[in-house]
């Protein structure tokens, strides 16, 4: 599934730096089994008290996708959603990292949520995903 284009959000230098560091962390963690990333995100989320507002979450998503534009390899939903989660955590805000799937045709997808609402996703998906994991 192609990601929607990121909205135009003016990023401060600290958001850009957090997005770059979050993207690098995501790339490193995804070289290991996915369970490692789940454990790391869970432990770091326990250290951050404040949930992200929708605007803060959107800023984290845009900052992570902005960093991903410069990556010469694959930067799809899994990489971008984990990078957005780390970006938000580096900015001292919590996001929920979600992984889901659907059948007929089979597809897997990863995204971030705040307040049980997806951030940076199409408002009307063609077919909803069954949530398999929320960290």
């Amino acid at each position: 599934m192609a990601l929607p284009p990121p909205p135009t959000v003016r990023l401060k230098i600290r958001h850009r730096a957090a997005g770059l560091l979050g993207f690098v962390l995501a790339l490193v963690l995804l070289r290991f089994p996915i369970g490692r990333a789940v454990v790391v995100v869970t432990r770091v989320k326990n250290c951050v008290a404040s949930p992200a507002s929708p605007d803060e979450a959107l800023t984290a998503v845009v900052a992570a996708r902005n960093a991903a534009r410069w990556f010469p390899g694959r930067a799809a939903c899994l990489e971008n959603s984990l990078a957005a989660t780390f970006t938000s955590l580096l900015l001292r805000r919590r996001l929920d990292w979600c992984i889901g799937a659907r059948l007929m045709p089979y597809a897997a997808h990863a995204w971030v949520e705040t307040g049980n609402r997806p951030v940076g996703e199409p408002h009307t998906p063609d077919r909803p995903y069954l949530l398999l994991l929320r960290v």
Side-chain angles (χ1 to χ4, degrees):
M1 176 176 152
L3 293 171
T8 55
V9 174
R10 189 143 173 98
L11 297 174
K12 296 179 182 176
I13 190 73
R14 68 185 184 102
H15 296 134
R16 290 180 188 272
L20 181 61
L21 185 55
F23 187 73
V24 170
L25 286 171
L27 288 178
V28 169
L29 267 179
L30 289 175
R31 299 295 175 236
F32 297 100
I34 194 83
R36 291 278 175 151
V38 171
V39 168
V40 171
V41 169
T42 303
R43 287 185 180 169
V44 175
K45 267 181 75 171
N46 289 336
C47 299
V48 177
S50 304
S53 70
D55 290 338
E56 292 169 335
L58 185 60
T59 300
V61 168
V62 171
R65 287 189 190 169
N66 191 29
R69 289 186 327 180
W70 301 101
F71 182 61
R74 177 183 186 267
C77 61
L78 185 63
E79 292 83 1
N80 285 322
S81 61
L82 185 56
T85 302
F86 279 124
T87 300
S88 180
L89 290 170
L90 288 167
L91 296 170
R92 299 196 166 262
R93 296 291 182 255
R94 274 193 330 246
L95 282 179
D96 291 333
W97 182 40
C98 302
I99 298 174
R102 67 179 177 204
L103 301 174
M104 304 289 251
Y106 175 77
H109 187 50
W111 65 94
V112 294
E113 291 182 351
T114 184
N116 290 334
R117 298 192 52 97
V119 178
E121 295 292 316
H123 293 292
T124 55
D126 54 351
R127 289 177 309 284
Y129 287 91
L130 174 66
L131 180 66
L132 301 175
L133 176 69
R134 176 180 282 134
V135 182

